[in-house]
């Protein structure tokens, strides 16, 4: 397996996402994603972890599949991996074997799918998968192949992808397919299970939503809204851009499982058209 250069590995480290954050405000709001009691119960099941991992690491984008209200999306997540120069192999390893961070997301490849090798040369990434990695029916391969292509396309040295399975060429050269929708909102921070100290939660990600407005809401373990506000993406739909926002609240004296909600509402009737929930631990 040919490794990518150290320069490419540096480019793989995602830059901090930045945009203008809308003001946070406290108090309840009409509408919202899931039932509060259910969200709070899910938050309590997530193990608390420190906000920063020890040692050198990279944050790599991984594109899973997610269905919301009957519509399927390619949903990017940012996964921390130990520092390596073989960033393409590391990203594909998370795609095939990693655990989705977002509730409702799933891996696009079956259990047992393995990466046999990947090399990048003259802008083309050649990926060799195990024979059972792709379905036999060619029509069912579109989504997993595009998840693979999008995951590799984060690296500037990759312009196209050729895929082999069981030693035989099965697809390519492939580029990103604009016909498959990306999830309207993707969160880079906070990660599920993060410990939020103090009374301020910073939210970062990317979005393609109406007028670039990403709704944000923080619920406690009883389902009560403790803070709400919004972030503004650098571009509104159909464009896509980074966003950031912050929520201010009164932190409990001890650590409690709370739930962050990020969502898009319809400009026509105010209904939630897409939403994410991220369990976090909040305390002083």
């Amino acid at each position: 397996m040919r490794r990518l250069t150290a320069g490419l590995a540096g480019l793989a480290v995602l830059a901090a996402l930045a945009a203008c954050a809308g003001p946070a405000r406290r108090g309840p709001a009409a509408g919202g994603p899931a039932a509060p009691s259910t969200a709070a119960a899910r938050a309590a099941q997530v193990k608390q972890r420190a906000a920063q991992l020890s040692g050198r690491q990279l944050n790599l984008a991984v594109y899973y599949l997610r269905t919301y209200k009957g519509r399927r999306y390619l949903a990017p997540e940012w996964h921390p991996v130990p520092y390596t120069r073989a960033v393409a192999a590391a990203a594909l390893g998370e795609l095939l074997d990693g655990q989705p961070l977002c509730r409702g997301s799933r891996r696009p490849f079956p259990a047992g799918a393995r990466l046999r090798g990947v090399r990048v040369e003259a802008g083309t990434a050649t990926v060799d998968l195990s024979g059972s990695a792709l379905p036999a029916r060619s029509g069912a391969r579109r989504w997993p192949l595009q998840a693979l292509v999008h995951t590799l396309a984060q690296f500037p040295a990759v312009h196209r992808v050729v895929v082999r399975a069981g030693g035989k060429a099965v697809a390519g050269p492939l580029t990103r397919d604009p016909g498959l929708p990306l999830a309207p909102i993707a969160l880079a921070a906070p990660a599920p299970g993060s410990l939020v100290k103090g009374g301020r939660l910073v939210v970062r990600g990317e979005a393609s939503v109406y007028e670039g407005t990403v709704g944000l809401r923080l619920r406690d373990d009883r389902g009560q809204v403790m803070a709400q506000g919004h972030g503004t993406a650098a571009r509104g739909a159909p464009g896509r851009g980074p966003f950031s926002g912050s929520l201010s609240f009164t932190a409990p004296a001890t650590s409690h499982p709370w739930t962050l909600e990020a969502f898009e509402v319809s400009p026509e009737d105010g209904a939630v058209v897409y939403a994410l929930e991220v369990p976090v631990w909040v305390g002083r």
Side-chain angles (χ1 to χ4, degrees), residues 5 11 20 31 43-44 84 91 96 128 131-132 144 154 175-176 192 248 257 271:
T5 63
L11 290 171
C20 298
T84 176
L96 294 173
D128 192 1
S132 61
Q154 70 184 291
T175 58
R176 289 181 175 179
S248 297

Side-chain angles (χ1 to χ4, degrees), residues 25 61-62 77 162 185 193 253 275:
R25 50 197 177 99
V62 183
E77 299 182 356
V162 172
I185 302 171

Side-chain angles (χ1 to χ4, degrees), residues 1-264:
M1 179 183 73
R2 178 172 177 172
R3 293 188 173 185
L4 296 180
T5 63
L8 177 55
L11 290 171
V13 182
L14 299 181
L17 299 171
C20 298
R25 50 197 177 99
R26 306 179 191 214
S37 58
T38 303
R42 286 200 291 263
Q45 297 171 1
V46 176
K47 183 178 180 180
Q48 178 178 317
R49 69 181 187 182
Q52 300 293 331
L53 299 180
S54 61
R56 300 172 68 193
Q57 66 180 41
L58 302 173
N59 288 318
L60 301 181
V62 183
Y63 285 75
Y64 292 122
L65 304 184
R66 187 170 194 256
T67 301
Y68 187 81
K69 292 189 174 181
R71 189 176 188 191
R72 183 185 294 184
Y73 300 96
L74 288 172
E77 299 182 356
W78 287 265
H79 286 211
V81 300
Y83 178 83
T84 176
R85 292 193 221 177
V87 289
L92 292 181
E94 286 295 308
L95 180 66
L96 294 173
D97 300 320
Q99 292 298 320
L101 301 176
C102 177
R103 187 175 183 85
S105 294
R106 61 181 179 86
R107 291 194 299 261
F109 292 91
R114 293 291 178 264
L115 177 66
R116 298 174 58 178
V118 55
R119 70 177 187 275
V120 177
E121 188 171 26
T124 299
T126 301
V127 180
D128 192 1
L129 301 174
S130 58
S132 61
L134 291 170
R137 188 167 57 89
S138 60
R141 297 177 178 178
R142 185 183 182 193
W143 284 92
L145 286 175
Q146 280 299 309
L148 187 151
V149 170
H150 277 72
T151 297
L152 287 176
Q154 70 184 291
F155 305 119
V158 177
H159 303 293
R160 65 199 72 85
V161 178
V162 172
V163 181
R164 298 170 60 85
K168 299 179 181 179
V170 294
L174 301 171
T175 58
R176 289 181 175 179
D177 184 348
L180 298 188
L182 296 179
I185 302 171
L187 294 182
S194 295
L195 174 60
V196 182
K197 296 182 178 180
R200 185 170 182 264
L201 173 62
V202 176
V203 184
R204 300 194 308 272
E206 66 178 38
S208 176
V209 295
Y210 179 71
E211 293 187 342
T213 301
V214 179
L216 300 173
R217 186 176 296 142
L218 186 63
R219 295 185 186 270
D220 67 10
D221 45 0
R222 298 173 299 173
Q224 298 297 312
V225 176
M226 304 305 292
Q228 58 187 5
H230 69 274
T232 303
R235 300 175 63 189
R240 189 177 186 88
F243 79 88
S244 66
S246 63
L247 296 173
S248 297
F249 54 91
T250 300
T254 58
S255 182
H256 285 259
W258 288 14
T259 301
L260 169 67
E261 301 170 350
F263 54 93
E264 177 189 11

